[in-house]
Amino acid sequence: MNSRPTKKLQAKIENILNKKFKTVSFFDSTTRHTPSSLKNFLLDKFKNYNNKDHYKSAVVIYAGEVQFYLPYGMVSVDFYNMHKAIKETGLTNLTFIIVSTWGQSYDLQVKNFLAKKDKENKYISLYMPVPNQEDFENIDWQSYKPKYKFGYCGHNNILHRQLFSKFLIKNNLHKENIVAFTNRAKSYNTSLRKYDNTIEEDEAFVYAPRNRQDNWINDHEVMKIWDDTALENIDHPEIPPYDLKTYQPYQEKAYINIIGETVFDYPYPRFTEKVFGPILSKRSFILLAPADTLKELRDIGFQTFDDLFSEEYDTVSDPNKRFRIICDLILKLNELPIDKFEKLHQKADAIHKHNLLHFKKLSNNIPQDILQLNNI
């Protein structure tokens, strides 16, 4: 699954907006378009328009998967660049409809940043928890019986995934579970440094290097994991090469899957398609994700696992403390015998069934927010 809605949903959006606007344009930023490409797109689309005519025009922007936010800004680099590109065009009186997906972080940034920062245009968030329809009929269900306590697959180009992989190595958890990750030597191949908390001009962050944006570690225990453990390439014969399918059968082989989301130190709840993997596999999960992400999932109708194990970590905003709590939880669970995991798995059966049915519902329904476009 990716961020962009299916053609069916796009057609639904277009049909509604065509009744209200003279022109409707779609811009896809899910493939990491640069700010200049959005700027050039807008200038090309509206080069023959006068500003007074713009109120008849709508621009739908598919926002890509968020990566980093500006320190002290409560706004992602993606949204900052979007704002900058729009302002540089000088265009006014346009209606921008931002398709926000997988959690309300985009929705909040549309309201709290774009709409407040730019009073010359109108900004609307179109929130879709599940932007694409999953093809349930064609999933090649494997239905493996779980035999490992934990499952984890980490593509370690992001700090928190590398750090968690080091935690697994340090505690030998990679040897007895279904685990795979790479060292990705190109990322963080120099010693880690604490972030310099000097307030800087926001321009300095627009194209900041990845490790400059993502270095949130300031805790001695967490730093010790980073400094004392070398990252390795760890393969597992039962984990195939990475692909983009949401359903990953290897996840069925673990009782609990640990999901390394795209962002960890982030001021908003944020999940992606990754969390739907264990849901399709009907497995419990622990999220390496921003605070309140489990709450966000519950708010849109999913159930989580606080009756089985502590989900305190989801309430902790400090990323260092949240990371330590997650690690302590995993170590505590790991002390349980495998038959106890089987009992926990059976206890969670109703949750797994509910989540799968709810995912099907969200995946196949036209979101109410699309219908609310009629109220623009």
Side-chain angles (χ1 to χ4, degrees), residues 143-153 173 176-180 236 238-239 248-259 277-286 305 309 338 341-342 344-346 348 352:
S143 301
Y144 291 112
K145 179 177 174 58
K147 59 181 179 178
Y148 300 99
K149 293 179 179 179
F150 300 107
Y152 174 74
C153 185
L173 294 175
E176 55 198 57
N177 294 288
I178 183 164
V179 166
H236 196 287
E238 296 175 78
I239 297 182
Q248 297 289 336
Y250 75 86
Q251 292 181 330
E252 293 182 344
K253 298 181 180 183
Y255 286 104
I256 299 175
N257 279 276
I258 301 147
I259 304 301
I279 287 175
L280 287 173
S281 296
K282 292 195 287 189
R283 295 295 179 265
S284 306
F285 53 83
I286 295 169
F305 307 98
F309 48 78
I338 196 73
F341 274 79
E342 177 62 31
L344 291 173
H345 179 63
Q346 293 174 6
H352 298 152

Side-chain angles (χ1 to χ4, degrees), residues 201-232:
E201 294 293 329
D202 56 6
E203 292 289 342
F205 292 98
V206 179
Y207 297 107
R210 177 168 298 212
N211 59 353
R212 190 71 175 84
Q213 286 288 358
D214 200 24
N215 186 355
W216 46 266
I217 299 178
N218 59 20
D219 175 269
H220 174 73
E221 288 184 37
V222 180
M223 186 76 74
K224 190 171 177 59
I225 295 173
W226 181 272
D227 289 340
D228 293 354
T229 307
L231 193 57
E232 305 172 21

Side-chain angles (χ1 to χ4, degrees), residues 17-230:
L17 295 180
N18 278 337
K19 299 174 184 177
K20 301 174 178 294
F21 295 94
K22 182 178 179 181
T23 66
V24 179
S25 304
F26 290 82
F27 181 81
D28 179 15
S29 68
T30 61
T31 55
R32 294 288 178 271
H33 282 280
T34 64
S36 60
S37 62
L38 173 59
K39 178 181 174 180
N40 293 336
F41 170 85
L42 293 172
L43 290 175
D44 182 65
K45 285 288 182 181
F46 298 102
K47 61 185 176 183
N48 295 322
Y49 284 71
N50 294 316
N51 276 353
K52 64 181 180 180
D53 294 326
H54 290 176
Y55 71 91
K56 299 177 183 178
S57 301
V59 179
V60 181
I61 298 179
Y62 299 126
E65 185 172 340
V66 68
Q67 296 291 341
F68 308 109
Y69 74 100
L70 300 181
Y72 318 105
M74 297 293 284
V75 60
S76 71
V77 174
D78 311 275
F79 269 68
Y80 177 83
N81 285 337
M82 188 186 302
H83 162 72
K84 183 180 179 183
I86 292 170
K87 289 295 288 183
E88 287 180 353
T89 66
L91 297 170
T92 61
N93 298 318
L94 288 169
T95 297
F96 289 95
I97 299 168
I98 315 298
V99 179
S100 60
T101 55
W102 296 324
Q104 297 187 46
S105 69
Y106 277 1
D107 182 59
L108 292 170
Q109 290 180 77
V110 170
K111 295 173 182 176
N112 296 336
F113 180 74
L114 290 178
K116 290 182 179 179
K117 197 82 170 171
D118 180 11
K119 298 294 185 181
E120 301 298 321
N121 296 290
K122 184 175 182 180
Y123 292 89
I124 297 169
S125 174
L126 178 57
Y127 175 45
M128 290 189 290
V130 180
N132 263 347
Q133 294 175 316
E134 185 71 40
D135 187 3
F136 289 91
E137 297 299 321
N138 291 318
I139 292 178
D140 183 19
W141 302 101
Q142 298 298 307
S143 301
Y144 291 112
K145 179 177 174 58
K147 59 181 179 178
Y148 300 99
K149 293 179 179 179
F150 300 107
Y152 174 74
C153 185
H155 295 272
N156 299 302
N157 57 320
I158 299 175
L159 177 62
H160 63 278
R161 294 180 189 161
Q162 290 202 18
L163 182 63
F164 185 72
S165 298
K166 290 188 175 197
F167 160 77
L168 293 176
I169 293 171
K170 181 178 180 180
N171 293 279
N172 289 317
L173 294 175
H174 63 299
K175 294 181 179 180
E176 55 198 57
N177 294 288
I178 183 164
V179 166
F181 47 80
T182 59
N183 64 11
R184 290 286 179 93
K186 289 176 64 177
S187 297
Y188 301 107
N189 56 359
T190 57
S191 59
L192 191 66
R193 294 289 180 264
K194 293 182 180 179
Y195 184 77
D196 178 5
N197 289 323
T198 304
I199 297 178
E200 303 180 47
E201 294 293 329
D202 56 6
E203 292 289 342
F205 292 98
V206 179
Y207 297 107
R210 177 168 298 212
N211 59 353
R212 190 71 175 84
Q213 286 288 358
D214 200 24
N215 186 355
W216 46 266
I217 299 178
N218 59 20
D219 175 269
H220 174 73
E221 288 184 37
V222 180
M223 186 76 74
K224 190 171 177 59
I225 295 173
W226 181 272
D227 289 340
D228 293 354
T229 307

Side-chain angles (χ1 to χ4, degrees), residues 305-323:
F305 307 98
D306 52 347
D307 285 343
L308 279 71
F309 48 78
S310 172
E311 292 183 335
E312 174 196 4
Y313 67 88
D314 189 59
T315 68
V316 178
S317 58
D318 177 71
N320 293 274
K321 185 177 180 181
R322 186 166 68 255
F323 186 83

